[in-house]
């Protein structure tokens, strides 16, 4: 019957047994309200399918919490922390416990984390996806565990998603600068920066090439200290440019190197942060940024996943568009 692949769910036990989810749950919890012949039939199906009870089975009978897994590339970034705050707030309000898994920026590590979460019997998984592809999700879909994907546009019977809109915005910012600005643009390429950074970088390159404009791609470590040192050296020769940085801390390194080199911001050097956070407005000068409210993303992700678990999610895609917030680090 194909139940040997991945995790067998309470839904499959109920279907094969010909009883309700609540009845299966009562059998698992050894309730004396279930008739003996029904209990024997359900237990026989459980043994046959190799079903292992999860939190969902207990929750159906006791109204206690179920468990959601959250997989993120790192909990150290401010925007990921904002996402985590949104997720945890809604989980708490809805009576779910939360299991956190962190990955490095690699496809293999991400797939291993998802498989680990599924084997630990979470009832749904939220994945901030920087590396996975459609083939990976086809495999995960066979486990019959609902998955909510953030930062990718992929959906299936048990998969919903929250993609981000950055490409159109970066193109609009660049084209506007072409008509008003006077500096060559430089994009900071971070090794293992992930899917979002690659998409924005590709849009940056396409927009320049389509308009016959010169540009520069500069390799950059995801480190404030090293980026600061690199730009202190760079500003000894290059006195004017518009720099697009991955995060606020990288943008701050460029700004500080510029001012410490005697250059003005935004007169000589302009800087844009792709993923803006609260630090965009705290730093001086304030950093112009592209913003998505990751706290709201986290809240929306839990709402969608719970509906997906319950079979109540009609629209499996909800897109968050980024917004440009002009501050003191850019002229336009």
């Amino acid at each position: 019957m194909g139940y040997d692949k991945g995790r067998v769910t309470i839904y499959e036990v109920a279907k094969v047994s010909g009883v309700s989810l609540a009845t299966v749950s009562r059998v698992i919890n050894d309730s004396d309200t279930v008739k003996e012949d029904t209990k024997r039939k359900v237990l026989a199906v459980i043994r046959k399918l190799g079903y292992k009870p999860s939190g969902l089975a207990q929750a159906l009978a006791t109204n206690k919490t179920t468990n959601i897994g959250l997989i993120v590339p790192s909990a150290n970034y401010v925007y990921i922390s904002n996402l985590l705050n949104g997720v945890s707030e809604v989980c708490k309000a809805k009576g779910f416990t939360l299991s956190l898994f962190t990955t490095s920026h690699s496809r293999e590590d991400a797939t291993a984390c998802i498989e680990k979460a599924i084997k630990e019997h979470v009832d749904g998984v939220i994945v901030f996806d920087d590396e996975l592809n459609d083939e990976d999700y086809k495999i995960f879909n066979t486990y019959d565990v609902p998955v909510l994907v953030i930062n990718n546009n992929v959906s299936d019977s048990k998969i919903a998603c929250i993609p981000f809109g950055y490409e159109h915005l970066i193109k609009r910012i660049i084209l506007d600068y072409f008509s008003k600005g006077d500096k060559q643009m430089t994009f900071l390429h971070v090794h293992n920066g992930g899917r979002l950074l690659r998409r924005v970088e590709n849009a940056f390159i396409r927009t320049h090439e389509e308009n016959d404009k010169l540009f520069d791609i500069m390799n950059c470590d995801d480190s404030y200290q090293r980026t600061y040192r690199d730009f202190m050296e760079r500003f000894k020769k290059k006195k004017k440019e518009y720099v697009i940085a991955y995060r606020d801390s990288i943008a701050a390194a460029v700004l500080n190197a510029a001012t410490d080199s005697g250059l003005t911001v935004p007169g000589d050097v302009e800087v844009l942060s792709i993923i803006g956070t609260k630090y965009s407005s705290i730093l001086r000068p304030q950093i112009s940024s592209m913003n998505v409210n990751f706290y709201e993303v986290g809240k929306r992700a839990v709402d969608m996943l719970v509906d997906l678990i319950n079979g109540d999610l009609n629209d499996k895609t909800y897109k968050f568009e980024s917004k440009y917030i002009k501050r003191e680090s850019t002229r336009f």
Side-chain angles (χ1 to χ4, degrees):
M1 297 180 64
Y3 294 114
D4 59 339
K5 191 172 185 179
R7 169 189 157 197
V8 177
T9 70
I10 189 174
Y11 302 101
E12 292 163 340
V13 174
K15 181 178 180 181
V16 175
S17 301
V19 299
S20 69
L21 294 176
T23 298
V24 176
S25 179
R26 293 188 188 102
V27 171
I28 292 169
N29 287 279
D30 199 25
S31 171
D32 57 9
T33 62
V34 183
K35 295 179 180 179
E36 280 301 318
D37 58 342
T38 301
K39 183 180 293 187
R40 285 194 296 271
K41 179 173 64 173
V42 173
L43 289 174
V45 172
I46 287 174
R47 287 192 295 271
K48 179 180 179 181
L49 300 184
Y51 171 69
K52 303 296 182 183
S54 72
L56 182 57
Q58 283 78 23
L60 286 167
T62 65
N63 288 326
K64 293 183 180 178
T65 61
T66 52
N67 190 19
I68 287 177
L70 173 63
I71 299 172
V72 294
S74 172
N76 294 326
Y77 298 147
V78 173
Y79 68 95
I80 294 295
S81 296
N82 292 342
L83 174 76
L84 178 57
N85 287 338
V87 169
S88 60
E89 179 179 302
V90 179
C91 279
K92 183 177 180 180
K94 290 181 177 289
F96 282 81
T97 58
L98 182 65
S99 297
L100 179 64
F101 303 84
T102 59
T103 74
S104 61
H105 285 291
S106 76
R107 176 171 170 260
E108 293 76 14
D109 199 20
T111 55
C113 266
I114 293 178
E115 289 177 352
K116 181 179 179 181
I118 290 172
K119 289 176 181 177
E120 291 193 8
H121 286 212
V122 297
D123 297 298
V125 182
I126 297 172
V127 185
F128 190 101
D129 173 21
D130 257 359
E131 300 295 341
L132 301 176
N133 58 39
D134 291 346
E135 291 302 314
D136 295 320
Y137 285 110
K138 288 179 182 177
I139 295 172
F140 296 138
N141 205 36
T142 65
Y143 291 117
D144 201 31
V145 175
V147 177
L148 188 287
V149 182
I150 299 173
N151 192 34
N152 200 347
N153 196 348
V154 54
S155 63
D156 212 317
S157 59
K158 287 290 184 178
I159 299 175
C161 64
I162 297 178
F164 298 138
Y166 274 88
E167 292 95 323
H168 292 304
L169 180 58
I170 190 67
K171 181 176 181 179
R172 194 177 78 225
I173 292 171
I174 293 170
L175 291 176
D176 185 60
Y177 191 77
F178 287 164
S179 66
K180 300 175 182 177
D182 58 353
K183 303 180 185 72
Q184 180 175 305
M185 287 186 161
T186 297
F187 192 96
L188 300 189
H189 173 86
V190 177
H191 179 61
N192 284 335
R195 180 192 310 278
L196 176 58
L197 184 64
R198 288 196 299 270
R199 284 168 38 208
V200 178
E201 181 175 343
N202 289 337
F204 171 89
I205 293 171
R206 284 197 308 271
T207 304
H208 277 78
E209 290 178 342
E210 290 169 358
N211 290 272
D212 295 321
K213 297 289 186 178
L214 295 176
F215 63 92
D216 191 15
I217 303 292
M218 177 180 172
N219 290 322
C220 170
D221 290 317
D222 193 5
S223 161
Y224 172 89
Q225 289 83 2
R226 288 192 288 270
T227 302
Y228 174 81
R229 289 198 299 268
D230 289 345
F231 271 90
M232 286 297 292
E233 289 298 314
R234 185 177 180 88
F235 288 142
K236 289 178 181 178
K237 298 178 181 179
K238 195 173 183 68
K239 303 298 184 182
K240 286 184 177 291
E241 64 181 322
Y242 187 121
V243 180
I244 298 178
Y246 183 24
R247 297 184 292 111
D248 289 343
S249 61
I250 304 301
V254 178
L255 291 177
N256 289 342
T259 55
D260 290 349
S261 299
L263 303 176
T264 63
V265 177
D268 298 320
V269 176
E270 297 181 65
V271 182
L272 171 68
S273 175
I274 296 171
I275 300 181
T277 66
K278 62 183 180 181
Y279 294 110
S280 295
S281 57
I282 292 174
L283 295 164
R284 295 295 183 269
Q286 294 182 341
I287 300 173
S288 296
S289 61
M290 301 168 67
N291 280 51
V292 165
N293 189 330
F294 280 88
Y295 174 74
E296 292 298 329
V297 171
K299 292 172 63 177
R300 173 70 65 169
V302 178
D303 285 336
M304 290 177 67
L305 181 62
V306 171
D307 285 347
L308 188 62
I309 291 171
N310 294 331
D312 296 330
L313 186 64
N314 296 319
D315 189 350
K316 292 188 171 70
T317 301
Y318 187 96
K319 189 173 186 178
F320 275 79
E321 293 288 349
S322 60
K323 299 179 180 179
Y324 175 54
I325 300 180
K326 188 220 171 294
R327 297 189 178 93
E328 299 168 346
S329 66
T330 57
R331 292 163 56 201
F332 313 111

